[in-house]
Amino acid sequence: MAPSGAGHRAIQVEGLSFRYHAVDQQARVWTLESLSFHVEAGEILGIVGPNGSGKSSLLKILAGQLRSHTGTVRLTGRVIGQMRQQDIARLVGVVPQEYMQVFPFTVAETVLMGRFPHRSSRWWSLGIGEESAHDLICAQQAMGETDVLSLADRLVSDLSGGERQRVMIARALAQAPAILLLDEPTAFLDINHQIEICGLISRLRCERQLTVVLVSHDLNVASQYCDRVLMLKEGRLSRIGSPEDTIRPEVLRIVYGCDVVVDAHPQTGRPRVTMPMGIS
């Protein structure tokens, strides 16, 4: 359930279409086509769908990393196409699916990178600048909230997958965002770390009054931890609604083209998806 402070729309998408450029202009097909939906402030929205349905592309558009060809995206009422990248970065924190580290940064240095959007426009344009005392406080708070403060002096490259994911979330939190976007936050993690990361996201949503949008291949993660689920198929919005409205056998058959078993989770009562047993 969304925090009680929710009530206005953090994200509004109207008539959004997008496609990547191709050498053969006639061969270009829409990656996303005619999407319209909204995300309430304080809500956790899960985006699911088959491979190639446009989930990560949609997340990049919401982060301002890609520009849609048609339609409008508003972040807290502001048209994203009219915002500076620095202003978007102050509003939106992004946790990518994979973090490629070229240089051996420590955890503390990595989290401090999240404060970069809050430097003056002059230092932002030059890509330099020193951290202020406030920056250090924000980074330390973010590390404390994600339980990586004890790892501050360790190299990110030396961490486990679960530890590294918490560091990436801490870096996004250091931006002090209103909106948190996560691309496959539980990918490549064992079940213990999956539970840990999902619980962390739920807790931070409440404590920081965050609006969260997460992409996931795991339908059970979307069902158990999200307020609503948006289903994409071939770049189009197939269904959006509560887990009970979307995680249904007949809906999943249309979106994924296969039959699954859906029952109620014994603890939460929310839909739970399992694969049917093969018949020999």
Side-chain angles (χ1 to χ4, degrees):
M1 181 179 296
S4 59
H8 65 277
R9 294 180 175 180
I11 300 172
Q12 179 76 45
V13 176
E14 299 171 351
L16 183 152
S17 294
F18 170 82
R19 61 186 171 193
Y20 292 96
H21 293 289
V23 176
D24 181 1
Q25 297 298 308
Q26 299 300 318
R28 291 192 302 173
V29 296
W30 291 110
T31 302
L32 298 166
E33 188 172 1
S34 303
L35 297 185
S36 294
F37 66 93
H38 69 272
V39 187
E40 296 288 345
E43 181 180 25
I44 299 182
L45 178 74
I47 300 176
V48 303
N51 290 334
S53 57
K55 300 184 297 296
S56 293
S57 297
L58 176 55
L59 208 68
K60 290 177 180 178
I61 290 172
L62 297 181
Q65 297 169 359
L66 293 175
R67 290 288 183 95
S68 62
H69 289 80
T70 63
T72 304
V73 177
R74 289 182 172 84
L75 303 176
T76 62
R78 301 173 64 186
V79 177
I80 194 171
Q82 299 173 0
M83 298 172 66
R84 299 180 306 165
Q85 192 61 45
Q86 184 180 6
D87 293 330
I88 297 173
R90 288 174 176 174
L91 183 63
V92 180
V94 180
V95 179
Q97 182 175 351
E98 294 181 301
Y99 174 63
M100 302 299 293
Q101 187 179 47
V102 179
F103 300 102
F105 291 112
T106 66
V107 168
E109 290 169 335
T110 301
V111 175
L112 270 170
M113 292 177 188
R115 296 301 301 165
F116 190 67
H118 295 277
R119 297 175 188 175
S120 69
S121 297
R122 177 191 175 195
W123 296 126
W124 166 270
S125 62
L126 294 175
I128 58 176
E130 294 185 357
E131 297 84 11
S132 66
H134 182 62
D135 291 333
L136 295 172
I137 291 172
C138 290
Q140 187 174 40
Q141 179 182 353
M143 287 189 287
E145 289 175 308
T146 53
D147 197 27
V148 295
L149 197 54
S150 62
L151 307 175
D153 296 327
R154 290 184 57 184
L155 296 178
V156 174
S157 56
D158 292 340
L159 302 180
S160 69
E163 291 170 334
R164 191 158 50 246
Q165 189 68 305
R166 283 189 280 127
V167 171
M168 295 302 101
I169 294 174
R171 184 181 68 170
L173 290 179
Q175 292 176 228
I179 300 169
L180 186 63
L181 307 179
L182 305 102
D183 193 359
E184 295 285 354
T186 59
F188 315 120
L189 300 181
D190 60 41
I191 190 167
N192 178 56
H193 285 110
Q194 289 180 29
I195 294 171
E196 180 183 79
I197 293 300
C198 289
L200 174 63
I201 293 168
S202 295
R203 175 171 60 81
L204 290 172
R205 181 269 288 266
C206 293
E207 292 178 353
R208 288 204 175 211
Q209 297 294 295
L210 289 170
T211 300
V212 179
V213 178
L214 66 87
V215 165
S216 182
H217 274 295
D218 192 326
L219 292 172
N220 286 318
V221 166
S223 179
Q224 300 306 315
Y225 293 95
C226 297
D227 300 305
R228 288 191 301 148
V229 179
L230 184 155
M231 291 182 163
L232 290 176
K233 180 181 180 182
E234 298 177 348
R236 288 181 170 270
L237 195 158
S238 181
R239 191 98 166 203
I240 186 170
S242 69
E244 291 78 10
D245 290 336
T246 54
I247 310 298
R248 304 170 64 91
E250 64 275 17
V251 176
L252 298 178
R253 186 181 303 117
I254 293 171
V255 175
Y256 290 90
C258 63
D259 292 313
V260 296
V261 176
V262 179
D263 61 2
H265 191 284
Q267 291 181 311
T268 66
R270 289 192 173 197
R272 177 180 60 178
V273 180
T274 55
M275 294 186 295
M277 296 295 292
I279 301 176
S280 58

